[in-house]
Amino acid sequence: MQGAANGVPASGADFMSAYQSNPSMPLFILDGFEVSLQKIYDLDINRIERMTILKDAVATSAYGSRAANGVIVVDTKQPLPGRLTVNYTSNVQITAPDLTSYRLLDAAGKLEVERLSGMYTSTSSFASHQYFWDKLYSKRKADIERGVNTYWLAKPLQTGVGTRQSLYVEGGDQYLRYGVSFAYGNNKGVMIGSGRKNYEGSMMLSYRKNGLLVRNQLTVNSNRADESPYGAFSAYTRLNPYWNPYDAQGKTVKTLDILSTPGNAAQTIVGNPLYDATLGTTNYAKYFGMVNNTMLEWRLRNGFRFTGKLGITSQSDQSDKFLPADHTAFINITDFNSVDYYTRGQYNRNNSSFFALDGSLLLDYSKVIGKGLFYATLGGSLAEQRSQGAGFEVRGFPNSRLDEVFLGNAYLRDSRPTGKNDVTRRVSAFSSLNYTWDRRYMADFSFNMDGSTQFGDDKRFAPFWAFGLGWNLHEEAFMSGLKGTAVDRLKIRAGIGTTGSQQFSPYMATTTYQYTTDREYLGMLGAGLMAYGNPLLAWQQTMKRNIGMDVSLFKERVQFRLDGYIETTNDLLLDVNMPPSSGVATYKENAGKLENRGMEGNLNVFLLRKERQGIYWSVFVNAIHNRNRIKEISNSLKKMNENNDKSDNNLQTRPQLRFVEGESVNAIWAVRSMGIDPGNGKELFLARNGELTYEWSAADKVIVGDALPDVSGNIGSNVSWKGLQLGVYMSYETGGKLYNQTLADRIENANLRYNVDERVLMGRWKKPGDATYFKGLADLEGRQVTELTNATSRFLQRNNFLDFESISLTYNVPDRYSARLRMKNTRISLQANNMFRIATIEVERGLDYPFARNFTININTTF
Amino acid sequence: MSIRKTLRCVLLVLILGGSAGCSKWLDVKPKTQVGEDDLLTDEQGFKDALIGVYTGISGEALYGREFTMAMMDVLAANYDVALTSHSYNQAGQYNYTNATAKSALFGFWSTAYKNVAGINNLLSKIDDRKETFAPMMFELVKGEALGLRAMLHFDMLRAFGPLPGKGLDQTAIPYVTRFDMKVQPRLTVQEVISRCMEDLTAARALLKVRLDVTYNHADLWLAHTRNHFNYWAATGLMARISLWAGDKENAYKYAKEVIDSKKWNLIAATAVNTLFPDRTFTAEHLFAVYLANMQTLNAKHFNAQAPSTAVLTNRTAFINTRFEVNSGGSTDYRYLYLWKTSGSSTTKYPAKYWIDDILDNGSWLMRRLPLIRYSEMYYIAAEATANKEEGIGLLNEVRSHRGLQLLSTSLTEDQLKLEIAKEYRKEFYQEGQLFFFYKRTNAAVLEGTARPGSEAMYVPPMPDDEIEFNQN
């Protein structure tokens, strides 16, 4: 049965949404080899045979230090013997942008906000300055009255439609099997002109005779991704709605406005990003890659099995970006006589290549001795990755016809090529022992040594071990009455183990010099100190203790799994602050202890199960509860607390991290707020000593909430009725708090020169007597309020949400219909992602790229 | 059977034997990074590390801009930064808590000590590798390192230390000689000075192997003596330090040693009134740093391209007063050739570092920023000598090489002092030394601003991080 029934995401898109933004991404293994998340995403869902999630210390110990966040093992279907079978999949994907979460002002509203904030009131004594502002105001008002009200957000967007076609041919006999596949994909993004094209071909060959199995898979793919000529979406969110991108004749203008302050020669020219889209620009990245995985497995007669694997990956990338002279990127170069004017226009070219090699040898042994089963594994692996690249920039492209890198005028003045040349290597050895007695009692032990170029000289190799015990109660004699009827499976397990959860750069353990390549001294290049290398630096070790149980009841109608864990990290790697006279600002020490406790549960219930009619209904829930506590910190963290109280660089507009012994790392610190004073529009704060004050002070910060939710997880359901299947997958969180940064950045700290959220006009205080949630635009004297809003409890909100991540509907065409066309296993499915979200906080969904929903229609059949 | 045995062996070797051979295989360093055990093993490595120090100190945060032509001269009231939007406006009012001023001060401190750490690490390993050096090179590398250490500490003392006039037993700065994470205590002015002198004496003993001053040599290290910390730079610095400490005898002694060496000359008129003028008077640099990016610095501050928030120049009235244009100073080379108009504007800009018009001619005239000048030796000797006539004579020696009339021998002591002060103001424009002259003499008024000097003004605060983490 597919993963969906067990609460595991059922498709590549689900994986992306579940893991893409996960900072603790697990390790993905596909057919025995490590792959990236992108590979799993691109995998045809119909090719997946089995997907297993490994979390506890013993299960992940085979993968060593890479498995700190769990391992997801995916196995694809192997070709079947018999005649040639052809499998065809066709897929249409629609990406639709959704702008409903953005609430920006319209033209009249923006002008009004500017006026109320005092922008058109001159602060100087010169009459000519006030005249300047009056003239500007009248001009803008006249434009608005003529009907100018541009909704910029929608201008660069489209509904992207894409497709993916793939063909898979397989065949073979008892000994030799083969499979060949081709795929073509063409996806369009929500920004006009953006998209992704992908071609892929692969060949799989396997030979099996007696105890020997040899398998080889070769994949070749080519990919090109284009960026939109309309530029970044974030630029459109800032543009003022009283600016018109077209002139009276309907032509696209280049300059929207020239911003200046009277009395100051400096000016900023605002360019029209829509104008850029009318020019010929180039912005793409492409790559060509090849992956070859070979596996050899040899089963010897006496219980030994030997496995060898070798994987080779090679990829070469190129990226090009071309902007002609007329592009708004150069709009602020106004001196027609300067050299800069003649060298407008740029072309950036970057080439890089990547090569990786991954090999492993494994030996297992299994033996039955009486009632006991003994299983041992011993193995080693090594891997190397090489990454090289170089890039350069050329300037001077007067028009968009000359869009080749060699047609430019000259290299960017005083520039040098950029590039890299990195090699990392990894070696690890692994062994494990497993003993099961009478199918009832189990003991596991595993040991693993990892070495990597990323670790310091003295501590190159790090050992990790794990030990576990298990008890299959359902095999016990006293359970035999229940077994087969009520209880199918009841296993209790406990484990303890260590994992390493952080790698540190080699220059933290050895004093290292770095050559300054961007400056010469009389023709010589110097090498400067990078940092103080602490030779005593050791691995950060996490000790995991867990206890859990797996239960399956009522003929697998109810399955559930419960785990409790305590993780203690000792020797936490932290920065210790030094006075600058020591030559460095910080250096790394093992100086901290962190403890994580939690519980995790997983429940899958079949509410309906009628096998004969083909009717099933299952519901799954999983939940995690986690709490952490700092046991000990070094003086550097105490210093960081103080630094975060200073007001440099507008640090205080976001609640800063603050570590205190005994508290959680996710605690949110802010000053308690009593709201906005209706008399003057200022915020009233509660100081630590209980007094009310208008002054914000870092010393008054207290813990106002915790970002960690009480419970978080996923919920979903699957319904099958004859050939139809409906699946819903949601994620939820409850009990956590979030500092609503959107409100602070977009409403109170917004730059009024550009467009802002509509609540700046509606929700902010304007005159005495207004009882509002947001503070005033101008103070009682009419002067614009420029003080920033610092961390306040006013913006702390409960963050409970239920996110409908994906819904899918599948129809399996019964074979008797499709047999007429000689097809079988035909399946049509529809899927939608990010349908909607029920939440207590409305957060703006992304400024750099617009929020969009994905709909996919998929047809799959076999000949 | 044998297959099984072989397999077992292979795996055993893999697991156990692996660690030794594997460690080497795992020892990969990125191309541009080198561990100290690999770098500081031979002559080239030590030289690379020392060049790293030169590159570091000639960065914009220290000698490459802020400590010389920008912040330090703003503090000496050399520029007109009255425009409220000017980035140095607050610094010009000695508001040391302003963000720009604070960050510049932090830049001085952290850059200086960071490079002191580099020097200390180098010195801790150089003695063991002496045999890898070619003849003379060991002495030069070690001597330069010691000299630079003294110079960096002394400049931090001059900037952040207390007024020397108030006595030498006040607490000043830490003097760091080892690169380990042990916090060094702040020493008194006298202690810092004696440590500097110790380092400089040791440096001179080593640098003595090469007294020649060349700019042309096949060996890149020996070419451009003036841009390495050489024997004469060490001597000149000792003169300067002695004067700071009020030790006139030694100041005179060291200054005279440089003057009498016959290795140095003051410039002639032909150096400046040609097609390719040598505006920084390169021949007179006892020690100057090399700035590869001189052109961008000019565009930032010293010509018509400079934005109004960053331009560093002054009004014509100021220039006329400074150079006494109406009372005999109009022939001064420093007035005639070092102030130019740029583009179509009539504003005059300080042109000392301009190089666009001399790019075609020999590279050794450009991109140098003097830190210790030969002319300063004359000034120090003139100030420190007991003999007033000798002092006037020394001052006249410089004046005659600057296009100025000679002073009368009948000047009084006070008048001589005044003339010396005027020379400091004219000579060291854009070089950051004037502020230290005012601080050393506790000048009552800063010319050009009518601003009264005060202790708060002359003693900027140390960076917060130093005060917080160095409780000693």
Side-chain angles (χ1 to χ4, degrees):
Chain A
M1 183 72 193
Q2 282 288 6
N6 303 329
V8 171
S11 75
D14 289 329
F15 260 114
M16 282 304 251
S17 46
Y19 290 108
Q20 194 169 31
S21 48
N22 188 346
S24 345
M25 192 134 50
L27 181 68
F28 293 100
I29 303 283
L30 178 63
D31 286 333
F33 292 92
E34 182 180 344
V35 294
S36 64
L37 174 63
Q38 186 66 43
K39 265 273 177 308
I40 302 280
Y41 175 57
D42 287 335
L43 198 61
D44 184 355
I45 200 72
N46 308 302
R47 305 249 320 267
I48 296 184
E49 165 86 40
R50 176 180 45 245
M51 195 165 356
T52 322
I53 300 188
L54 305 173
K55 276 200 199 172
D56 63 65
V58 176
T60 59
S61 54
Y63 300 95
S65 57
R66 297 171 288 157
N69 299 316
V71 186
I72 296 183
V73 182
V74 179
D75 291 305
T76 56
K77 291 189 178 134
Q78 295 307 312
L80 304 163
R83 47 176 271 268
L84 204 67
T85 44
V86 178
N87 184 298
Y88 174 70
T89 307
S90 175
N91 167 312
V92 173
Q93 187 180 79
I94 303 168
T95 313
D98 179 4
L99 296 173
T100 53
S101 72
Y102 305 100
R103 290 150 57 174
L104 297 172
L105 284 168
D106 66 358
K110 179 67 186 8
L111 191 65
E112 184 60 8
V113 157
E114 290 175 0
R115 187 187 70 81
L116 288 172
S117 75
M119 195 188 268
Y120 296 105
T121 315
S122 168
T123 50
S124 80
S125 52
F126 292 107
S128 63
H129 291 186
Q130 185 58 55
Y131 173 67
F132 172 89
W133 290 119
D134 291 340
K135 206 165 80 145
L136 185 62
Y137 181 78
S138 322
K139 173 182 174 303
R140 288 179 175 165
K141 199 152 171 64
D143 283 339
I144 295 172
E145 259 147 41
R146 266 192 303 113
V148 176
N149 186 5
T150 318
Y151 187 53
W152 286 100
L153 291 184
K155 297 260 178 232
L157 301 182
Q158 68 178 2
T159 301
V161 181
T163 172
R164 190 186 155 91
Q165 313 289 330
S166 66
L167 190 70
Y168 182 60
V169 179
E170 60 183 352
D173 61 19
Q174 188 186 3
Y175 298 113
L176 187 71
R177 291 174 200 167
Y178 61 87
V180 180
S181 82
F182 300 102
Y184 165 72
N186 187 352
N187 263 315
K188 300 257 190 297
V190 291
M191 295 285 286
I192 303 175
S194 73
R196 224 183 145 90
K197 255 204 191 128
N198 191 40
Y199 297 88
E200 185 178 300
S202 81
M203 188 170 98
M204 208 288 300
L205 212 64
S206 88
Y207 177 77
R208 184 192 284 274
K209 183 154 186 179
N210 301 330
L212 184 69
L213 166 68
V214 180
R215 188 157 68 215
N216 190 74
Q217 168 130 26
L218 173 69
T219 313
V220 167
N221 78 24
S222 154
N223 182 301
R224 175 176 162 138
D226 283 83
E227 294 284 343
S228 168
Y230 283 79
F233 184 66
S234 52
Y236 293 88
T237 60
R238 286 162 32 107
L239 297 174
N240 281 318
Y242 48 70
W243 288 330
N244 193 353
Y246 309 109
D247 63 10
Q249 283 79 36
K251 272 182 58 183
T252 313
V253 297
K254 183 174 174 186
T255 306
L256 288 176
D257 203 347
I258 301 177
L259 303 176
S260 63
T261 318
N264 198 334
Q267 63 182 26
T268 310
I269 304 178
V270 182
N272 182 3
L274 294 181
Y275 180 79
D276 290 335
T278 64
L279 305 169
T281 58
T282 308
N283 193 348
Y284 68 83
K286 62 183 185 190
Y287 71 80
F288 179 79
M290 171 223 96
V291 178
N292 190 65
N293 291 330
T294 313
M295 187 183 95
L296 185 141
E297 190 186 275
W298 188 11
R299 249 175 232 283
L300 295 138
R301 254 174 285 271
N302 43 18
F304 278 97
R305 182 178 67 161
F306 172 83
T307 314
K309 290 185 192 160
L310 183 69
I312 299 174
T313 310
S314 165
Q315 182 170 308
S316 64
D317 294 66
Q318 176 173 310
S319 77
D320 282 50
K321 180 170 165 178
F322 167 66
L323 304 175
D326 214 8
H327 197 272
T328 58
F330 309 103
I331 205 171
N332 276 300
I333 300 175
T334 47
D335 181 358
F336 305 135
N337 280 323
S338 67
V339 177
D340 285 335
Y341 195 76
Y342 290 118
T343 54
R344 290 176 308 153
Q346 74 184 62
Y347 201 114
N348 294 71
R349 159 72 58 84
N350 278 284
N351 286 93
S352 62
S353 71
F354 174 81
F355 178 80
L357 194 91
D358 194 332
S360 69
L361 289 173
L362 199 74
L363 183 70
D364 354 30
Y365 177 69
S366 64
K367 190 156 184 87
V368 175
I369 311 168
K371 278 197 182 177
L373 170 64
F374 177 77
Y375 184 76
T377 308
L378 186 65
S381 78
L382 48 75
E384 172 178 297
Q385 275 185 354
R386 282 174 185 277
S387 185
Q388 288 170 316
F392 58 94
E393 182 172 326
V394 180
R395 287 278 178 129
F397 294 87
N399 67 58
S400 34
R401 275 245 180 120
L402 308 170
D403 59 352
E404 291 286 351
V405 69
F406 49 80
L407 292 173
N409 232 317
Y411 286 104
L412 174 63
R413 201 157 41 122
D414 288 337
S415 79
R416 6 163 29 96
T418 55
K420 65 176 176 187
N421 187 345
D422 295 325
V423 175
T424 56
R425 294 179 176 147
R426 181 176 49 81
V427 152
S428 65
F430 157 77
S431 78
S432 85
L433 300 163
N434 186 293
Y435 183 73
T436 312
W437 190 77
D438 198 24
R439 293 157 51 116
R440 279 185 284 155
Y441 311 113
M442 291 154 291
D444 309 275
F445 174 75
S446 71
F447 179 79
N448 163 294
M449 280 267 280
D450 257 18
S452 161
T453 46
Q454 291 182 299
F455 308 151
D457 250 336
D458 278 0
K459 307 275 172 183
R460 264 242 205 271
F461 288 92
F464 300 112
W465 56 268
F467 179 71
L469 291 169
W471 182 15
N472 279 338
L473 274 106
H474 54 277
E475 299 284 354
E476 288 286 351
F478 60 79
M479 293 285 284
S480 60
L482 292 168
K483 184 172 172 189
T485 49
V487 179
D488 306 304
R489 188 180 156 80
L490 177 61
K491 176 177 177 181
I492 298 180
R493 46 192 164 66
I496 183 169
T498 63
T499 51
S501 49
Q502 188 165 317
Q503 301 159 352
F504 51 85
S505 319
Y507 59 76
M508 290 179 202
T510 315
T511 304
T512 310
Y513 283 79
Q514 170 133 38
Y515 277 92
T516 330
T517 49
D518 61 349
R519 270 171 50 214
E520 40 98 19
Y521 191 83
L522 298 168
M524 298 179 273
L525 286 182
L529 270 178
M530 282 180 79
Y532 176 72
N534 185 353
L536 303 171
L537 219 48
W539 277 81
Q540 186 175 279
Q541 295 241 344
T542 305
M543 168 89 77
K544 284 188 187 190
R545 279 166 290 224
N546 62 291
I547 187 166
M549 64 180 184
D550 300 329
V551 184
S552 173
L553 306 167
F554 307 119
K555 294 217 179 67
E556 302 203 358
R557 273 215 157 80
V558 176
Q559 289 158 320
F560 99 97
R561 192 191 152 108
L562 192 65
D563 274 278
Y565 60 87
I566 300 180
E567 278 179 30
T568 334
T569 307
N570 292 325
D571 290 339
L572 200 60
L573 280 173
L574 296 173
D575 286 319
V576 177
N577 283 103
M578 293 298 290
S581 58
S582 64
V584 297
T586 61
Y587 73 101
K588 284 239 185 273
E589 266 287 17
N590 297 99
K593 276 195 178 70
L594 184 68
E595 186 186 85
N596 244 299
R597 281 166 189 261
M599 287 219 334
E600 199 173 330
N602 217 304
L603 175 71
N604 192 22
V605 180
F606 275 93
L607 295 169
L608 252 136
R609 197 167 67 180
K610 296 188 196 292
E611 278 123 356
R612 266 180 303 121
Q613 290 109 311
I615 301 180
Y616 303 87
W617 182 19
S618 71
V619 173
F620 68 86
V621 176
N622 67 44
I624 301 181
H625 167 84
N626 184 11
R627 282 277 171 263
N628 62 50
R629 194 155 308 271
I630 302 166
K631 296 281 227 190
E632 199 179 285
I633 58 170
S634 71
N635 79 327
S636 70
L637 285 181
K638 289 186 181 132
K639 162 68 182 177
M640 188 163 44
N641 293 341
E642 279 154 38
N643 259 344
N644 292 336
D645 286 345
K646 297 206 184 110
S647 329
D648 309 324
N649 299 324
N650 305 333
L651 260 188
Q652 294 307 321
T653 57
R654 294 179 177 267
Q656 291 298 313
L657 292 174
R658 213 182 152 99
F659 298 120
V660 173
E661 280 166 359
E663 298 291 351
S664 142
V665 297
N666 306 93
I668 301 176
W669 292 73
V671 177
R672 287 169 297 182
S673 169
M674 306 301 290
I676 303 296
D677 186 340
N680 56 19
K682 289 174 134 177
E683 185 168 11
L684 205 57
F685 298 105
L686 187 63
R688 257 193 209 248
N689 55 14
E691 279 173 21
L692 294 175
T693 169
Y694 288 119
E695 291 294 311
W696 185 94
S697 162
D700 292 331
K701 284 203 274 194
V702 294
I703 295 181
V704 291
D706 197 298
L708 270 187
D710 288 334
V711 192
S712 70
N714 307 101
I715 301 180
S717 178
N718 283 289
V719 182
S720 293
W721 186 72
K722 313 229 192 234
L724 267 173
Q725 274 164 317
L726 177 70
V728 174
Y729 182 81
M730 301 177 275
S731 67
Y732 70 90
E733 246 183 55
T734 166
K737 295 242 171 46
L738 183 71
Y739 190 81
N740 196 339
Q741 197 60 47
T742 312
L743 299 180
D745 289 343
R746 307 281 294 154
I747 297 170
E748 291 203 352
N749 294 335
N751 180 353
L752 290 174
R753 263 196 155 181
Y754 298 101
N755 202 4
V756 291
D757 191 288
E758 65 184 8
R759 283 166 288 186
V760 175
L761 178 63
M762 326 288 209
R764 285 182 76 164
W765 182 93
K766 292 190 215 74
K767 58 189 192 305
D770 283 348
T772 56
Y773 182 61
F774 296 105
K775 73 179 191 199
L777 274 172
D779 60 14
L780 287 171
E781 281 96 27
R783 282 185 307 234
Q784 188 173 5
V785 169
T786 50
E787 233 172 45
L788 294 170
T789 303
N790 296 319
T792 159
S793 68
R794 193 161 44 105
F795 292 146
L796 191 73
Q797 299 177 329
R798 278 178 308 132
N799 187 19
N800 303 333
F801 66 83
L802 181 67
D803 213 332
F804 276 67
E805 292 206 13
S806 86
I807 295 180
S808 67
L809 181 66
T810 312
Y811 177 57
N812 288 311
V813 177
D815 282 347
R816 58 180 189 278
Y817 295 135
S818 56
R820 271 180 246 159
L821 296 165
R822 270 196 259 267
M823 301 195 301
K824 58 180 199 273
N825 274 346
T826 311
R827 193 169 32 215
I828 304 173
S829 67
L830 273 123
Q831 188 173 322
N833 285 41
N834 294 112
M835 283 311 295
F836 56 97
R837 185 184 159 102
I838 303 171
T840 51
I841 299 182
E842 210 188 283
V843 180
E844 207 170 60
R845 309 262 231 146
L847 280 179
D848 290 319
Y849 210 74
F851 173 65
R853 295 199 169 81
N854 286 321
F855 301 92
T856 316
I857 303 164
N858 195 306
I859 300 176
N860 177 287
T861 184
T862 310
F863 293 91
Chain B
M1 268 324 226
S2 58
I3 301 170
R4 219 206 298 175
K5 268 219 180 85
T6 326
L7 281 172
R8 276 213 205 118
C9 286
V10 163
L11 280 161
L12 230 71
V13 162
L14 200 98
I15 294 1
L16 301 171
S19 1
C22 283
S23 205
K24 206 66 183 49
W25 186 70
L26 289 177
D27 194 6
V28 172
K29 295 241 170 48
K31 287 256 160 94
T32 50
Q33 291 178 5
V34 191
E36 63 177 349
D37 298 320
D38 293 322
L39 184 73
L40 302 177
T41 48
D42 61 359
E43 181 184 319
Q44 186 59 52
F46 283 101
K47 279 182 172 173
D48 287 345
L50 192 57
I51 292 290
V53 171
Y54 280 114
T55 316
I57 63 175
S58 58
E60 289 197 27
L62 195 60
Y63 296 129
R65 192 172 68 87
E66 292 285 12
F67 203 75
T68 50
M69 53 180 92
M71 178 74 171
M72 232 52 215
D73 256 13
V74 167
L75 293 183
N78 267 342
Y79 304 121
D80 175 11
V81 292
L83 186 66
T84 39
S85 59
H86 198 287
S87 49
Y88 288 109
N89 173 265
Q90 287 299 304
Q93 293 175 46
Y94 305 95
N95 178 4
Y96 291 125
T97 52
N98 164 262
T100 315
K102 241 187 161 166
S103 98
L105 293 172
F106 179 75
F108 298 159
W109 188 270
S110 58
T111 313
Y113 278 103
K114 180 160 180 251
N115 287 291
V116 163
I119 292 171
N120 287 334
N121 203 36
L122 188 158
L123 288 172
S124 70
K125 302 198 154 51
I126 197 172
D127 286 331
D128 293 331
R129 315 296 302 181
K130 184 166 174 183
E131 68 281 357
T132 62
F133 283 78
M136 202 167 61
M137 283 306 171
F138 173 79
E139 284 78 13
L140 287 179
V141 171
K142 188 171 177 186
E144 288 181 34
L146 284 167
L148 284 172
R149 183 166 76 185
M151 179 161 159
L152 289 168
H153 279 108
F154 180 63
D155 271 330
M156 287 303 105
L157 178 69
R158 286 202 296 176
F160 295 97
L163 289 171
K166 289 222 155 173
L168 301 181
D169 51 358
Q170 301 191 351
T171 319
I173 60 167
Y175 199 93
V176 185
T177 52
R178 293 163 59 89
F179 183 51
D180 57 24
M181 295 289 113
K182 294 196 181 59
V183 178
Q184 297 297 322
R186 288 201 277 263
L187 303 177
T188 64
V189 178
Q190 185 57 61
E191 284 169 337
V192 174
I193 287 179
S194 51
R195 298 270 181 105
C196 287
M197 292 306 240
E198 235 175 80
D199 275 348
L200 284 168
T201 314
R204 283 208 323 160
L206 292 161
L207 293 169
K208 223 176 171 140
V209 297
R210 188 157 198 274
L211 296 175
D212 289 333
V213 181
T214 57
Y215 69 92
N216 230 335
H217 202 287
D219 185 341
L220 274 181
W221 195 267
L222 299 175
H224 308 292
T225 321
R226 292 172 178 81
N227 305 115
H228 287 257
F229 196 87
N230 54 72
Y231 177 86
W232 304 108
T235 315
L237 187 58
M238 286 174 97
R240 190 193 268 181
I241 297 178
S242 305
L243 198 58
W244 184 270
D247 179 359
K248 288 197 169 171
E249 229 179 273
N250 275 321
Y252 178 78
K253 179 180 111 191
Y254 292 120
K256 274 297 254 168
E257 186 182 332
V258 180
I259 297 170
D260 294 337
S261 69
K262 303 272 180 280
K263 301 261 186 208
W264 297 89
N265 294 302
L266 293 166
I267 54 138
T270 47
V272 279
N273 64 6
T274 78
L275 194 55
F276 301 107
D278 177 8
R279 287 189 272 259
T280 57
F281 310 156
T282 326
E284 296 184 18
H285 297 174
L286 291 185
F287 179 52
V289 281
Y290 171 80
L291 298 183
N293 64 342
M294 194 64 106
Q295 269 164 305
T296 49
L297 293 175
N298 280 311
K300 210 183 228 178
H301 294 303
F302 301 124
N303 60 25
Q305 280 176 47
S308 57
T309 50
V311 68
L312 294 175
T313 180
N314 220 318
R315 297 178 304 268
T316 320
F318 173 90
I319 302 170
N320 290 342
T321 320
R322 175 63 57 99
F323 290 95
E324 304 177 298
V325 168
N326 296 324
S327 43
S330 57
T331 49
D332 192 334
Y333 301 155
R334 296 165 296 198
Y335 168 71
L336 281 177
Y337 303 107
L338 268 50
W339 285 90
K340 291 197 169 306
T341 55
S342 160
S344 53
S345 128
T346 51
T347 325
K348 281 201 162 166
Y349 294 93
K352 186 178 276 187
Y353 298 121
W354 282 15
I355 55 173
D356 282 346
D357 53 337
I358 57 176
L359 278 174
D360 286 337
N361 190 48
S363 64
W364 89 290
L365 294 180
M366 306 185 288
R367 301 196 172 98
R368 263 77 173 165
L369 193 144
L371 297 178
I372 309 177
R373 274 184 182 277
Y374 184 46
S375 47
E376 192 181 340
M377 298 299 109
Y378 282 90
Y379 301 152
I380 291 175
E383 195 177 329
T385 180
N387 184 339
K388 185 178 62 118
E389 278 73 34
E390 190 189 359
I392 297 173
L394 287 164
L395 207 55
N396 278 335
E397 186 68 21
V398 179
R399 283 175 70 101
S400 64
H401 287 89
R402 295 286 188 266
L404 286 174
Q405 296 293 332
L406 301 182
L407 296 168
S408 142
T409 44
S410 59
L411 287 181
T412 66
E413 287 272 355
D414 287 334
Q415 282 174 319
L416 177 62
K417 279 214 174 81
L418 188 59
E419 286 300 325
I420 293 176
K422 284 187 199 168
E423 273 300 303
Y424 269 91
R425 290 197 201 112
K426 290 184 260 186
E427 183 79 357
F428 299 112
Y429 198 81
Q430 287 175 288
E431 291 175 26
Q433 304 291 341
L434 187 55
F435 178 77
F436 301 124
F437 176 76
Y438 286 145
K439 182 168 177 175
R440 174 169 65 80
T441 56
N442 200 354
V445 165
L446 269 58
E447 188 212 49
T449 64
R451 183 182 289 275
S454 69
E455 191 168 347
M457 213 173 91
Y458 288 130
V459 186
M462 264 185 251
D464 292 338
D465 280 352
E466 185 70 33
I467 300 172
E468 175 147 6
F469 288 118
N470 191 346
Q471 301 291 340
N472 304 359

